[in-house]
Amino acid sequence: MTNRQSTFPKIACAVLAAAFAACKSGPAAPAKVSIGATLPLTGAEARIGGFFKEGYDLAFEEANKRGGLQVGGKKLPVALTLLDDTSTSATAASLADRLVNNDKVDFLLGTYATNLVEAQSTVAEQNKVPYLNGGGAATQIYRRGYKYVFGLLAPVELLGNTLMQWIDLQQKAGKLPKPSKIALVWENTSHGKDFRKGISEFADKSGGAYQIVVDESFELNGKDFSALLGKVKAAKADLFLADAHLPDYIAMHRQYVAAGMCNKLVSYGARGSEKGAIDALGRENVDYVLSAVWWSNQLAAKGGLAKQFVDAFKAKYNKSPEWFQALGYETARILFAAIEQAGSLDREAVRQKLAAMKADSLLPGGTVELPAAFGQQAQNSFVVQQNLPDGTSPIIFPADVATGTGVAPNPRCKG
Amino acid sequence: MQRFLDLAISSVLLAGLYATMAYGLGLIYGVLRVVNLAHGGVIMAGAYLGWLSFSRLGLDPYLSIPLVVAATFAFGVFMYRVLVRHLPRGAAGGPQSLLLLFGVWLVIRNVAYLAFTGDDQAIRTSYSTKSIELMGSFVSVNRVVVFAIALLTPLGLHFLLRRTYMGKAIRAVAQNADSCTLVGVDVERIYALTFGMGTALAGLAGLLSATLFSFNPAFGAGELLKSFVVVVMGGLGSMVGLGVAALILAVIEVYSILVLPAYLTAAVGFVMLVLVLIFRPGGLFGHRVLG
Amino acid sequence: MSGLRRLLPSWAAPAAVAGFAGGVAILALLPAAVELSPYSHNMVTLAFLFVAGAMAWNWMGGYLGQVSFGHAAMFGIGGFVAAQIVLSTSLPPQLAWIVGGIAAGLFALGAHPTLRLRGPYFSIATIGVGEAARLCFTYWEEFTGGSSGLSLPIDAALKYRLYWWALALLAVVVAASYAIRRSSLGLSLLAIKSDVEAAADVGVSATFYQDLIFSLSGAVLGVAGGIYASYFSYIEPGDMFGFDRSISFVLMAVIGGVGTILGPALGAVVFVLLRQFLLASYPQLYLGLYGGLLVFIILFEPLGLTGLALRLARRFGYRARPDLAVTPAAVPAGREEG
């Protein structure tokens, strides 16, 4: 299918370019690098969409402070066209279409939330526009054989897997019973399903060291978890592993505590140490909760790119970043790196550089790659954190980035 | 056995909440023959008002009941005077009243969204996570208080409807509005008051829900449908009927976890709605709701 | 002209037929005549789908008077059936859409018991059916991919041609809308809408006609869902079965003019355009705006935008046919027996 370029707007643009400088210039030398993106700035994911925006903004600001990106022989400023996709997948896809075909952006940065990324990435692939995202973790996105779609978020199966690795260490050290019974509940989204897959695959391969006694999904934004928790309680599990968004985490854990439940170890997937949760639940009720995230600001303790990012972020926003802002920032930064490596704005050239990317990164592990074997999705490790009674939430695993030691089982639970 | 007991206690407590939700819808329908599709929106508004008074005024949610009830009552009267009054009454105006109130619901939702953003909110008091032990079950303090209030509400309503002049007038209008005009009852005023009472009850239900669950502007749709199940099943004209219907709904919902995967228990209320409407539109107590 | 008249059924006015043919021709030739940008081309394709959906909804909500808040169920079923066929067989997508439509129509037939309910009770039941469908289909992973949805292979050439396929669907729906409304079928529906029992007395079987219209309406929504799936190459149950999706059809038809023939088309176009505009400037106002419009329409102008247009036209001396729209206002409202 040929890209039908309207001739009339082109003429109009040439005429108006001097006055408005809003139209993308034609085949003549580009004046800037135009990058398009959508984020859920309103709607269900608005809170996190806002966080990602902070990361994007910081990256673009830094790049432009340096004079822009080195493209071939010239330094070009980099501009972000950001639209609000209202947390709807159809809108995310339609807006991507608009960014590519109307606003004529050179490249696309991704949105947040798996279903939005999955819908939007299709448009990128159809139009052969490199699409780098830090907001969609489901492996499903990257198993379609797409060449133009790249993901910086490691798959959520790895999240479950990393959590189990630490738990396994505790079991081998005799702190947890063998076999350990797991109650596994997960939100019915691809995030939840992947979490469940990670946990159950680890349990299957453990040769009987772990038994899953409850395996149930629940509706996103459900309110009443008492029946589900009743089931978990009746199963008398050792480990309660859940995967939930923040509101469900708060609702479920509150009902968990009110029901007088206590398991040797509790995790809500990527949730645990959020300030919002601590405010809503009370510090003492989230003690010993485990979480595994893509990035933690405590990685800055080891210096390097993580520390640089945290310092720059604090300077600009006066608060500490969480993984959302870090991923947003890093996604933009890696795209910039690919553009500079390619030395041009040619989409195919940049795509190849992204495919071959090997760069230092603030992500755990210190480097980032987008291997084709995994559908061009990064496979960086997660970091496991635990809320401790002294008010900190140190990284307890992997050992090379740990800032504290984890506690198992929960000393407050008797029996 | 303990599990069975846990579920039983859970369903009884939940039934109280459902009954409170249903009274408001039932009252409006019984007297005005209008299905208040904005019911869910008012429940949500009640939740937010409670949250507001808690976070801005520092009032314990249960203490702010009079405040929230008064506010939603006023809102209901306003809604009636400005909007609902113009609708043709009864089945002939059915789709119109439905669509009108649905439109109001959308507006309420959007206002809440603009004012409070779409983030989930919750009321966290010092006793939010406390529980008491009841026959071997741990029950959240909030659930018990909500249940107690839910028991008091129909008593209060009963007193209002049977012992006061206004209550008698309301019941008279429900039976035959034309005759009431003949004997000098200001029917329009009664309609406005009743609508206000209906929304006040919805607001109360919303406030009580807010102490138990988190909520956001989209909250209320499920509650509306469950209220409808209770009203249709329990019939009108009987508090006891509504209470029993609420209990049946709660029991089925809660015990369904024994046979259904947890995810699908959320669908139980909706399925019950459809089944009840199709098979027992006369309600379980013979009082025809849909006739 | 008289020759044409003899060919047409008695209820079809030659002027309308000519207008219809002309309209379709213009829309079909539009991309060739005016060089549409790919984005506009795509947006118009989507608009065709929504117009078709709104008009089909109107057969139930406007002609028959049964306001459904659960039409997304048929849209979703059609979409996922079509998607599954595309994914697991080598049948052409057009066939997949048709099968999707048939599946959706069958689902509507399955919902037959709800048709015994009148007015608001039917509407409430449809909310229940819609939400129950959403939850069950989200749970049914093998069919819908669960919350992750289904991804279809990309076919850029097909996506471009979807414009004409959607236009074809729209043309069929417009013709059917006109035919239903003007023929004796429309009269039967009007009879059922006004007074179900009296209609039965004169031999108009509510059961038959309601089932017919419900399944036709559902089938159209199903085909639209299939085309939608091919358009996005990715569908998920939350979007397809969502309550917001159901609401959108209601809003489009009511804002445009429920019960009229072309009203929903106007409403759908306005809906899509407004949404585009609001997305740019006030993303989260559109629900409240439509709610407000709904309130305004019910109170002041039951025929929505069509009604407003007619009022304007009356200034210029144009008088519409008295049976232009089937609304409760056109029907003498009996006093309700308490």
Side-chain angles (χ1 to χ4, degrees):
Chain A
M1 175 192 129
T2 55
N3 243 336
R4 284 165 165 243
Q5 295 265 352
S6 299
T7 49
F8 182 82
K10 247 187 174 168
I11 299 171
C13 266
V15 168
L16 295 169
F20 296 106
C23 294
K24 178 88 175 62
S25 33
K32 61 179 169 143
V33 183
S34 176
I35 300 183
T38 75
L39 280 176
L41 299 173
T42 57
E45 304 287 4
R47 207 179 54 94
I48 298 181
F51 292 156
F52 266 81
K53 179 173 188 296
E54 288 173 354
Y56 282 169
D57 285 344
L58 182 61
F60 275 80
E61 194 183 281
E62 278 189 356
N64 284 327
K65 261 199 235 165
R66 287 185 278 126
L69 301 184
Q70 189 71 38
V71 180
K74 319 192 358 219
K75 269 208 161 197
L76 295 177
V78 55
L80 175 66
T81 311
L82 185 64
L83 299 175
D84 178 7
D85 56 37
T86 71
S87 312
T88 328
S89 51
T91 312
S94 297
L95 287 179
D97 194 343
R98 177 155 132 185
L99 285 168
V100 168
N101 291 311
N102 244 27
D103 303 318
K104 307 276 189 256
V105 299
D106 298 306
F107 309 102
L108 288 172
L109 284 173
T111 177
Y112 170 74
T114 286
N115 52 339
L116 273 64
V117 169
E118 188 157 1
Q120 198 173 64
S121 54
T122 312
V123 175
E125 184 75 6
Q126 276 173 343
N127 289 283
K128 297 190 168 35
V129 178
Y131 178 85
L132 179 61
N133 87 89
T139 39
Q140 186 176 302
I141 301 173
Y142 307 100
R143 290 279 178 272
R144 296 177 288 176
Y146 286 4
K147 295 268 168 298
Y148 287 84
V149 175
F150 300 86
L152 227 53
L153 270 190
V156 178
E157 287 106 326
L158 263 186
L159 195 164
N161 188 287
T162 314
L163 205 53
M164 287 305 293
Q165 282 180 41
W166 181 81
I167 290 176
D168 203 40
L169 286 177
Q170 310 311 304
Q171 194 188 56
K172 292 197 162 70
K175 298 196 192 151
L176 291 174
K178 185 167 178 160
S180 277
K181 292 193 279 191
I182 299 180
L184 180 58
V185 309
W186 37 283
E187 62 177 30
N188 199 335
T189 59
S190 39
H191 192 285
K193 288 195 293 195
D194 287 350
F195 176 78
R196 167 184 186 260
K197 190 148 169 274
I199 304 276
S200 42
E201 277 178 1
F202 193 98
D204 286 342
K205 296 202 186 95
S206 69
Y210 300 98
Q211 291 164 7
I212 300 185
V213 295
V214 175
D215 184 359
E216 290 271 5
S217 68
F218 58 88
E219 208 205 343
L220 186 63
N221 296 326
K223 285 178 282 302
D224 194 350
F225 298 108
S226 48
L228 181 60
L229 289 174
K231 202 164 179 175
V232 171
K233 189 173 186 182
K236 294 193 179 9
D238 302 298
L239 312 170
F240 176 54
L241 302 178
D243 183 70
H245 272 51
L246 186 62
D248 290 335
Y249 160 42
I250 294 177
M252 189 184 283
H253 199 63
R254 175 192 295 197
Q255 291 169 18
Y256 175 93
V257 172
M261 289 170 70
C262 203
N263 297 83
K264 298 189 176 62
L265 282 176
V266 171
S267 175
Y268 284 90
R271 317 278 152 240
S273 49
E274 290 89 347
K275 184 171 180 308
I278 295 174
D279 287 341
L281 295 165
R283 182 74 221 193
E284 67 285 358
N285 289 317
V286 298
D287 278 337
Y288 302 111
V289 168
L290 292 165
S291 54
V293 278
W294 284 274
W295 184 90
S296 158
N297 53 31
Q298 292 178 56
L299 286 168
K302 305 281 178 197
L305 286 176
K307 182 169 188 339
Q308 282 178 26
F309 165 66
V310 173
D311 291 341
F313 191 89
K314 278 189 180 155
K316 181 172 163 78
Y317 293 106
N318 251 330
K319 58 175 181 172
S320 271
E322 295 180 73
W323 71 261
F324 322 102
Q325 294 97 337
L327 259 301
Y329 173 86
E330 190 70 348
T331 311
R333 198 185 67 83
I334 297 290
L335 180 60
F336 296 162
I339 296 172
E340 290 191 315
Q341 284 177 20
S344 86
L345 297 183
D346 176 53
R347 287 171 174 164
E348 194 47 43
V350 171
R351 191 205 74 79
Q352 281 170 7
K353 290 301 175 192
L354 280 172
M357 179 64 59
K358 270 187 187 32
D360 288 338
S361 166
L362 49 74
L363 292 175
T367 57
V368 70
E369 279 180 47
L370 303 164
F374 292 98
Q376 301 179 150
Q377 182 183 19
Q379 302 288 306
N380 292 58
S381 161
F382 287 76
V383 291
V384 181
Q385 290 179 270
Q386 188 175 35
N387 298 339
L388 293 181
D390 60 3
T392 62
S393 298
I395 299 178
I396 58 175
F397 184 84
D400 53 339
V401 289
T403 57
T405 346
V407 176
N410 184 339
R412 300 228 183 95
C413 296
K414 299 138 231 113
Chain B
M1 185 57 208
Q2 181 60 45
R3 179 126 165 82
F4 197 82
L5 202 58
D6 284 348
L7 292 176
I9 294 174
S10 210
S11 26
V12 169
L13 296 178
L14 196 60
L17 182 65
Y18 284 168
T20 315
M21 280 197 252
Y23 294 135
L25 191 67
L27 189 63
I28 292 180
Y29 182 70
V31 177
L32 288 98
R33 288 284 184 276
V34 162
V35 177
N36 181 11
L37 260 197
H39 185 69
V42 181
I43 291 181
M44 180 262 289
Y48 270 104
L49 284 173
W51 174 79
L52 259 185
S53 78
F54 177 72
S55 50
R56 300 290 155 80
L57 303 176
L59 264 184
D60 181 271
Y62 299 115
L63 292 178
S64 57
I65 286 180
L67 208 68
V68 173
V69 167
T72 42
F73 175 80
F75 179 65
V77 173
F78 171 78
M79 252 174 71
Y80 179 81
R81 284 251 143 84
V82 173
L83 300 172
V84 183
R85 183 158 56 120
H86 302 282
L87 288 174
R89 229 26 109 240
Q96 289 177 311
S97 70
L98 216 57
L99 289 170
L100 177 81
L101 290 165
F102 183 69
V104 172
W105 182 15
L106 290 181
V107 173
I108 298 178
R109 216 170 107 175
N110 220 149
V111 167
Y113 186 85
L114 289 173
F116 306 114
T117 80
D119 291 344
D120 273 40
Q121 308 290 356
I123 300 182
R124 186 198 154 222
T125 60
S126 53
Y127 52 85
S128 281
T129 46
K130 295 269 185 302
S131 51
I132 59 180
E133 198 170 336
L134 207 66
M135 294 189 267
S137 262
F138 279 92
V139 180
S140 150
V141 164
N142 281 320
R143 286 202 187 230
V144 177
V145 177
V146 164
F147 184 71
I149 295 176
L151 282 182
L152 290 174
T153 311
L155 291 178
L157 260 184
H158 182 92
F159 176 82
L160 201 69
L161 287 177
R162 302 258 158 197
R163 300 262 187 261
T164 66
Y165 174 76
M166 188 182 71
K168 294 200 177 113
I170 290 177
R171 281 170 33 231
V173 167
Q175 282 178 15
N176 195 326
D178 287 334
S179 312
C180 284
T181 329
L182 280 174
V183 297
V185 173
D186 184 345
V187 173
E188 279 298 309
R189 188 160 159 269
I190 295 296
Y191 279 158
L193 280 175
T194 313
F195 202 87
M197 279 171 62
T199 51
L201 285 164
L204 173 65
L207 173 61
L208 295 179
S209 293
T211 63
L212 298 178
F213 312 124
S214 59
F215 51 91
N216 60 38
F219 178 66
E223 283 63 25
L224 166 72
L225 294 183
K226 290 181 196 181
S227 308
F228 206 70
V229 177
V230 173
V231 168
V232 173
M233 266 210 296
L236 302 167
S238 153
M239 301 287 167
V240 174
L242 279 184
V244 173
L247 186 62
I248 295 177
L249 173 65
V251 163
I252 294 183
E253 252 194 16
V254 170
Y255 277 89
S256 65
I257 188 121
L258 292 176
V259 294
L260 282 181
Y263 182 73
L264 285 181
T265 56
V268 167
F270 303 124
V271 172
M272 280 202 65
L273 174 67
V274 179
L275 291 177
V276 163
L277 279 173
I278 292 174
F279 294 112
R280 293 290 300 181
L284 296 166
F285 299 90
H287 239 94
R288 276 202 82 85
V289 173
L290 309 175
Chain C
M1 237 333 137
S2 61
L4 184 63
R5 188 132 248 283
R6 255 181 276 130
L7 286 171
L8 295 173
S10 56
W11 41 261
V17 173
F20 169 72
V24 171
I26 292 176
L27 287 173
L29 296 172
L30 192 66
V34 175
E35 289 222 27
L36 283 179
S37 79
Y39 178 63
S40 309
H41 181 97
N42 289 338
M43 286 300 108
V44 176
T45 309
L46 268 187
F48 288 161
L49 284 183
F50 290 139
V51 172
M55 292 183 78
W57 180 93
N58 190 42
W59 298 343
M60 284 293 292
Y63 295 0
L64 190 56
Q66 296 276 55
V67 173
S68 157
F69 284 105
H71 258 53
M74 273 94 63
F75 186 75
I77 288 175
F80 280 102
V81 166
Q84 283 289 1
I85 291 180
V86 167
L87 281 175
S88 19
T89 71
S90 50
L91 289 174
Q94 291 79 7
L95 207 57
W97 306 332
I98 306 267
V99 176
I102 295 177
L106 287 174
F107 178 83
L109 270 184
H112 167 90
T114 60
L115 289 169
R116 272 196 283 146
L117 306 165
R118 308 294 321 158
Y121 317 108
F122 174 76
S123 304
I124 304 250
T126 58
I127 304 183
V129 168
E131 281 296 278
R134 181 181 64 81
L135 286 168
C136 293
F137 283 114
T138 309
Y139 191 76
W140 188 3
E141 274 195 53
E142 294 78 19
F143 177 54
T144 65
S147 36
S148 330
L150 291 178
S151 250
L152 299 177
I154 294 183
D155 188 341
L158 175 65
K159 184 165 180 176
Y160 181 73
R161 292 198 309 268
L162 282 179
Y163 178 97
W164 288 277
W165 287 110
L167 177 59
L169 176 68
L170 177 60
V172 167
V173 171
V174 171
S177 295
Y178 184 80
I180 293 175
R181 184 64 191 80
R182 284 266 197 265
S183 66
S184 57
L185 175 55
L187 273 180
S188 309
L189 295 180
L190 171 54
I192 296 171
K193 179 174 181 174
S194 325
D195 191 332
V196 145
E197 275 133 38
D201 286 341
V202 295
V204 174
S205 157
T207 332
F208 170 71
Y209 286 108
Q210 288 192 118
D211 279 337
L212 178 66
I213 290 299
F214 203 5
S215 35
L216 283 179
S217 177
V220 169
L221 259 318
V223 173
I227 301 181
Y228 185 91
S230 293
Y231 175 88
F232 280 109
S233 296
Y234 169 73
I235 49 173
E236 42 136 356
D239 178 46
M240 299 294 278
F241 289 104
F243 191 47
D244 279 354
R245 173 73 53 202
S246 284
I247 294 175
S248 66
F249 294 121
V250 180
L251 289 173
M252 287 190 257
V254 175
I255 290 175
V258 66
T260 64
I261 299 179
L262 286 181
L266 184 59
V269 169
V270 168
F271 185 90
V272 167
L273 286 179
L274 251 186
R275 187 120 202 275
Q276 287 293 93
F277 164 70
L278 286 173
L279 264 181
S281 335
Y282 308 102
Q284 273 294 344
L285 270 191
Y286 80 97
L287 261 192
L289 191 73
Y290 291 129
L293 265 178
L294 209 54
V295 170
F296 179 84
I297 286 172
I298 297 293
L299 287 181
F300 299 116
E301 183 46 86
L303 286 183
L305 292 176
T306 309
L308 286 178
L310 282 175
R311 284 198 201 189
L312 206 62
R314 223 167 290 158
R315 294 280 170 88
F316 295 98
Y318 170 78
R319 268 178 212 292
R321 294 167 55 133
D323 67 338
L324 177 77
V326 183
T327 63
V331 172
R335 243 353 229 148
E336 217 266 325
E337 288 79 26

